[in-house]
């Protein structure tokens, strides 16, 4: 089997039109990496603090306690001013420490000023309490009696809680804050996966493989005369096509990683990214009630939706782990695209017609499910999962787990259709 698979891969690599496509693909990637690297110098790796609101606090209840509270607030404001200056001067260790302190205090204050019961709504409250003690921060809950009106809005708590854990992770792992467009050996695969492959991968598969039926016509006649080979032939071709595309996609990425290692190293392999845990472990959609737009904000390598960023479902994941999950999604997507174009080429006599149908169908599916689409019917739209990084990191309404299941199911169905074609459609 492997002899045949390697033969097919070598044949594809030798074809002039394929080589041209591969070179153009690599040029696009290099251009993207250059643009991102340039852009990263103009982006800010830090965010302005949300601050602590004193609008709901009154000194009437206890003037002495109120004065103590205002002294604490003034110290926090001074810390914010110094921290923002540290960020501008790139004193990253001092900046991360400031972000942890302020974020912990902000999250604690939102707990104090909220009507929500702590045990039901405030995730990681125990972690925040440990950080408060570790960094020697005051207990703001002692000022609860000063509050005259509590709020039901706990979104800001989630944002501060996530930032506190995020910057504490950076500090304890001696990591420098990086921007959304940052490129190094650790992040290059994720950048390519989310900027180029969602659009280019299906196009690349279609253009590389739409002529396979014609190319294999003579070989097929000879091989299918061998006893016991006919049943395995479909599987052999599928494996060789998938491996060929994966080689084209992943080999350049591996080269970029090796080239970039001497410049920036691989320490950022453990860099934290925020991912949407409910969508990673099951079929889960975040609440869209009253939501009419998507606003994005960068948090390190994670380009989060503000609406998603403030949910309790966000958790931290090291970059290397995120990269592996995204790579697995790419392998599954590649298999789906290869199966789709192969089935079309079997059912249609005209190779250009099969390519056209392939591109039109996927194009229409992409148009029906744009970024931020919230119609549940698009759960079954395969192009809702064209960017597994988006699904994993929470920018998409549809989760990573749903994508793996749906794309996997479509791949199985297409494979069964392909097997049927091999038996019934003599092409």
């Amino acid at each position: 089997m492997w002899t045949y698979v390697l033969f097919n891969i070598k044949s594809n690599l030798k074809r002039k039109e394929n080589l041209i496509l591969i070179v153009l693909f690599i040029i696009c990637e290099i251009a993207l990496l250059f643009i991102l690297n340039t852009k990263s110098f103009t982006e800010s790796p830090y965010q302005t603090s949300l601050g602590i609101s004193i609008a709901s606090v009154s000194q009437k209840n206890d003037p002495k306690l109120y004065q103590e509270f205002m002294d604490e607030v003034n110290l926090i404001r001074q810390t914010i001013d110094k921290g923002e200056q540290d960020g501008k001067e790139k004193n990253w260790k001092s900046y991360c420490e400031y972000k942890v302190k302020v974020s912990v205090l902000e999250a604690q204050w939102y707990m104090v000023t909220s009507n929500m019961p702590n045990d039901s709504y405030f995730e990681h409250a125990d972690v925040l309490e440990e950080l408060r003690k570790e960094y020697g921060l005051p207990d703001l809950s002692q000022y609860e009696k000063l509050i005259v009106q509590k709020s039901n809005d706990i979104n800001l708590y989630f944002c501060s809680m996530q930032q506190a854990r995020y910057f504490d992770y950076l500090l304890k792992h001696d990591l420098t804050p990086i921007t959304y467009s940052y490129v190094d050996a650790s992040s290059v695969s994720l950048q390519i996966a989310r900027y180029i492959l969602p659009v280019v991968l299906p196009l690349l598969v279609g253009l590389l493989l739409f002529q396979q039926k014609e190319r294999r016509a003579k070989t097929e006649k000879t091989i299918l005369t061998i006893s016991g080979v006919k049943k395995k032939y479909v599987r052999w071709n599928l494996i060789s096509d998938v491996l060929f595309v994966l080689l084209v996609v992943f080999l350049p990425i591996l080269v970029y990683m090796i080239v970039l290692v001497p410049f920036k190293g691989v320490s950022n392999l453990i860099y934290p990214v925020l991912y949407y845990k409910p969508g990673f472990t099951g079929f889960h959609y975040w609440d869209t009630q009253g939501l009419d737009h998507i606003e994005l904000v960068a948090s390190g390598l994670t380009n989060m939706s503000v609406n998603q960023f403030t949910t309790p479902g966000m958790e931290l994941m090291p970059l290397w782990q995120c990269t592996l999950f995204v790579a697995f999604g790419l392998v599954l997507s590649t298999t789906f695209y290869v199966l789709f174009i192969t089935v079309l080429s079997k059912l249609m006599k005209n190779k250009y017609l099969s390519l056209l149908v392939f591109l039109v169908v996927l194009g229409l599916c992409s148009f029906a499910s744009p970024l931020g689409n919230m119609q549940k019917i698009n759960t079954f739209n395969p192009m809702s999962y064209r960017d597994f990084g988006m699904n994993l990191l929470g920018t998409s309404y549809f989760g990573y787990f749903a994508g793996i299941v749906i794309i996997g199911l479509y791949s199985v169905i297409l494979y069964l259709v392909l097997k049927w074609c091999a038996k019934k459609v003599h092409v």
Side-chain angles (χ1 to χ4, degrees):
M1 179 188 78
W2 289 111
T3 302
Y4 177 76
V5 169
L6 291 174
F7 168 77
N8 267 343
I9 293 175
K10 289 179 182 179
S11 298
N12 280 321
L13 288 172
K14 289 179 181 179
R15 296 189 66 84
K16 185 188 297 184
E17 56 267 38
N18 283 352
L19 288 175
I20 293 173
L21 281 172
I22 293 169
V23 169
L24 290 174
F25 176 59
I26 292 173
I27 290 174
C28 288
E29 289 182 322
I30 294 174
L32 168 72
L33 297 179
F34 177 78
I35 292 170
L36 289 179
N37 187 60
T38 303
K39 186 180 178 183
S40 67
F41 290 107
T42 62
E43 292 177 335
S44 173
Y46 57 91
Q47 299 171 351
T48 303
S49 174
L50 296 172
I52 292 179
S53 173
I54 61 172
S56 60
V57 177
S58 172
Q59 62 178 328
K60 293 181 180 179
N61 296 345
D62 191 329
K64 183 179 178 180
L65 190 63
Y66 177 81
Q67 186 57 50
E68 292 179 7
F69 171 71
M70 291 306 298
D71 290 341
E72 293 287 4
V73 169
N74 288 331
L75 287 174
I76 293 170
R77 285 171 176 167
Q78 292 175 21
T79 302
I80 291 174
D81 292 339
K82 182 181 181 303
E84 296 299 338
Q85 188 60 36
D86 284 333
K88 293 175 182 177
E89 296 175 359
K90 299 183 179 181
N91 298 322
W92 296 125
K93 187 172 182 179
S94 178
Y95 172 78
C96 287
E97 186 175 346
Y98 137 73
K99 285 298 292 185
V100 175
K101 289 180 178 179
V102 172
S103 298
V104 168
L105 290 172
E106 287 172 349
Q108 185 188 20
W109 186 243
Y110 297 134
M111 291 173 66
V112 172
T113 57
S114 173
N115 270 326
M116 304 297 181
N118 292 8
D119 57 341
S120 300
Y121 288 88
F122 297 107
E123 280 201 11
H124 298 296
D126 54 338
V127 175
L128 291 172
E129 179 60 19
E130 291 175 6
L131 291 176
R132 185 190 70 78
K133 294 177 180 178
E134 180 182 342
Y135 286 88
L137 301 173
D139 184 1
L140 297 183
S141 63
Q142 63 184 307
Y143 304 112
E144 185 171 6
K145 64 183 295 185
L146 299 174
I147 300 169
V148 293
Q149 185 176 359
K150 291 195 173 186
S151 169
N152 291 329
D153 184 11
I154 61 171
N155 284 343
L156 294 178
Y157 164 79
F158 296 129
C159 188
S160 296
M161 174 268 291
Q162 289 155 7
Q163 285 197 44
R165 294 185 299 131
Y166 175 81
F167 285 100
D168 178 62
Y169 185 104
L170 293 183
L171 193 61
K172 289 177 178 174
H173 290 82
D174 197 26
L175 294 169
T176 298
I178 60 179
T179 66
Y180 183 71
S181 301
Y182 184 81
V183 175
D184 68 354
S186 306
S187 65
V188 64
S189 56
L190 180 62
Q191 299 292 25
I192 290 174
R194 63 188 177 188
Y195 275 105
I196 283 189
L197 295 183
V199 175
V200 173
L201 183 58
L203 184 63
L204 191 67
V205 170
L207 293 175
L208 288 174
L209 302 181
F210 80 105
Q211 298 185 76
Q212 290 293 56
K213 171 185 169 182
E214 183 181 84
R215 295 172 190 168
R216 291 172 177 161
K218 294 181 181 179
T219 307
E220 193 173 72
K221 290 180 181 179
T222 304
I223 289 180
L224 293 181
T225 60
I226 303 173
S227 177
V229 168
K230 186 174 181 180
K231 292 182 179 179
K232 303 175 183 178
Y233 184 65
V234 171
R235 184 167 67 251
W236 290 0
N237 280 330
L238 174 62
I239 292 172
S240 65
D241 289 344
V242 171
L243 289 179
F244 167 56
V245 176
L246 292 179
L247 184 67
V248 172
V249 171
F250 284 104
L251 185 58
I253 292 176
L254 181 61
V255 172
Y256 304 145
M257 292 174 67
I258 294 172
V259 170
L260 290 170
V261 166
F263 295 96
K264 299 178 181 179
V266 292
S267 61
N268 283 321
L269 280 173
I270 59 171
Y271 198 89
V273 293
L274 285 162
Y275 76 102
Y276 188 48
K277 186 176 180 179
F280 177 72
T281 56
F283 284 87
H284 190 277
Y285 308 96
W286 42 284
D287 185 18
T288 60
Q289 186 176 2
L291 186 61
D292 58 1
H293 71 284
I294 295 292
E295 183 181 350
L296 299 179
V297 60
S299 180
L301 285 170
T302 314
N303 198 21
M304 298 301 305
S305 160
V306 171
N307 318 94
Q308 187 81 327
F309 187 73
T310 54
T311 65
M314 304 308 298
E315 295 291 347
L316 296 175
M317 175 185 289
L319 180 56
W320 69 265
Q321 192 173 341
C322 168
T323 302
L324 288 179
F325 284 120
V326 173
F328 178 74
L330 283 173
V331 172
L332 196 58
S333 294
T334 300
T335 304
F336 165 72
Y337 295 139
V338 170
L339 280 164
F340 190 28
I341 188 65
T342 305
V343 168
L344 289 176
S345 67
K346 289 289 184 181
L347 295 176
M348 298 178 182
K349 294 182 178 181
N350 190 306
K351 61 184 179 181
Y352 295 106
L353 179 60
S354 65
L355 176 62
L356 179 63
V357 172
F358 174 81
L359 296 177
V360 168
V361 169
L362 295 184
L364 289 175
C365 288
S366 298
F367 179 79
S369 185
L371 177 65
N373 182 274
M374 299 168 192
Q375 297 178 3
K376 289 190 177 181
I377 188 63
N378 275 315
T379 301
F380 303 99
N381 183 340
M383 299 311 286
S384 295
Y385 313 102
R386 59 189 178 276
D387 183 350
F388 272 100
M390 180 177 71
N391 301 120
L392 177 63
L393 300 182
T395 309
S396 172
Y397 173 64
F398 306 100
Y400 179 88
F401 179 80
I404 296 299
V405 172
I406 296 300
I407 298 299
L409 182 61
Y410 280 134
S411 297
V412 170
I413 292 172
L414 286 171
Y415 180 72
L416 294 176
V417 172
L418 188 59
K419 295 280 284 186
W420 176 84
C421 289
K423 292 179 180 179
K424 304 294 183 181
V425 183
H426 301 289
V427 289

